Amino acid sequence: MLFEKFEYMAEFQAELAAQDVVPFGAITEKILSATEAVVSGRKVILAGTNNYLGLSFDPRCISAAREAVGNWGTGTTGSRLANGTFMEHHTLERELAGFYGVNHAIIFTTGFAATMGMCATLVGPGEVILLDADSHASIYAGAQLSGAEIIRFKHNDPEDLAKRLRRLGERSSQTLIVVEGIYSMLGDTAPLQEITALKREYGGFLLVDEAHSMGVLGTHGRGAAEAAGVESEIDFIAGTFSKSLGSTGGYCVSRHPELETIRYCIRSYIFTASSSPMMVASTRKALQILQSEPGLRRQLWDNAERLYSGLQALGLPIGPSPSPVVTVSLDDRARAINCWNALMEAGIYVNLVVPPASPSTNFLLRNSVSAAHSSTQIDAIIATYAGLVDAGLIVVKQDG
Ligand code: PMP
């Protein structure tokens, strides 16, 4: 029966409903600011968004979007290859290429379409795609569509990558290696210096998905590749507008002129309507702000460090170093659901992540900070976790 395979999900839904918990698709009834909303009838601090620079509510981005909707209408009603390339799309592509100091850029309707489309198109049957095992679903989807041989290497493990490149022999030069800048679930960063050194040794091409690191890492906010000083060795950088740029859409930039030809072969670019002009306009404004206000990035990192050290002091099971994504990993599903619920009741909205969306068998409480959070808000998040520890909902290591 077609529907049998969904039974596990129906059971999980029933378990949540019995507890009156709605962690997935909780309805935001009102957005009050970049960091506060009314969710499921409750005023909450938003501690589970990807609004790293807090720009989703920036008045300059809002007014750019308003102006664009007046000038260009609500949607393009067509694909980039047909009637859907407006001057705004073209201009944003030029601006993104300029931001990265390369000549070629493509914008997509979503970040998912960007990474999936690039992975699906750059390699094909007979070639190899080498993925970090914790790659985002869009990367896996693209790899599957590509028809290339899919090989996974251990998360953030250059030695394992080297072993697999070695085994490929001559085929390594026809291989696309795909990693992320900051990984979305645990907030850790790819070791790009080691990975680019391997690329130098074995050949191949490297695509970095900077979805969570653009606007977050690097002196100019260009991401993990900038922070690692290896930008000139990256073949393709993909990313999204839906995180630090606060809108929706995706992109890929490259120094390779071939990107202009590849553009006409990417199905998730050709066969879908282009981004609405208001999204493009607010993204353009956000990209300007990202460049002209480096203080936002500093504020983001101050907040990240404040949350990290607060949760670390409580002895919570979090990652090894500060990041705008600070994730508490629990191995018990019921406990994770209870914690999520208790956080909501205390007015803190975080992401509950369950397998297979979490990279291991763990259940995650994913907390993320924004430059727009005040220190009072960060302290409220920490104090709420302290309450969960006191109530025995999270068991911490004895010696911290
Ligand atoms: N790549 C990564 C690493 C992501 O985390 C995401 C979104 N969570 C995407 C791509 C897709 O981006 P979008 O939501 O803009 O489609």
Side-chain angles (χ1 to χ4, degrees), residues 50 109-113 115 135-139 180 182-185 209-212 239-243 247-250:
N50 302 302
T109 311
T110 65
F112 195 102
T115 14
S135 289
H136 187 256
S138 58
I139 297 172
E180 294 174 32
I182 289 180
Y183 283 84
S184 56
M185 291 299 141
D209 182 351
E210 299 263 24
H212 292 266
T240 174
F241 304 147
S242 70
K243 308 196 192 296
S247 63
T248 51

Side-chain angles (χ1 to χ4, degrees), residues 203-254:
F205 291 79
L206 177 59
L207 182 149
V208 182
D209 182 351
E210 299 263 24
H212 292 266
S213 32
M214 188 249 205
V216 171
L217 289 175
T219 313
H220 301 92
R222 292 197 294 267
E226 185 192 8
V230 296
E231 282 174 293
S232 63
E233 302 190 57
I234 313 291
D235 297 282
F236 301 94
I237 288 183
T240 174
F241 304 147
S242 70
K243 308 196 192 296
S244 22
L245 297 173
S247 63
T248 51
Y251 64 92
C252 178
V253 301
S254 178

Side-chain angles (χ1 to χ4, degrees), residues 76-85 269-274:
T76 66
T77 78
S79 127
R80 288 292 303 276
L81 256 58
N83 56 304
T85 295
Y269 172 83
I270 307 170
F271 296 104
T272 193
S274 58

Side-chain angles (χ1 to χ4, degrees), residues 138-158:
S138 58
I139 297 172
Y140 274 106
Q144 274 152 10
L145 278 176
S146 75
E149 183 183 344
I150 303 171
I151 302 177
R152 302 186 317 161
F153 62 94
K154 279 192 206 133
H155 174 56
N156 272 354
D157 186 338

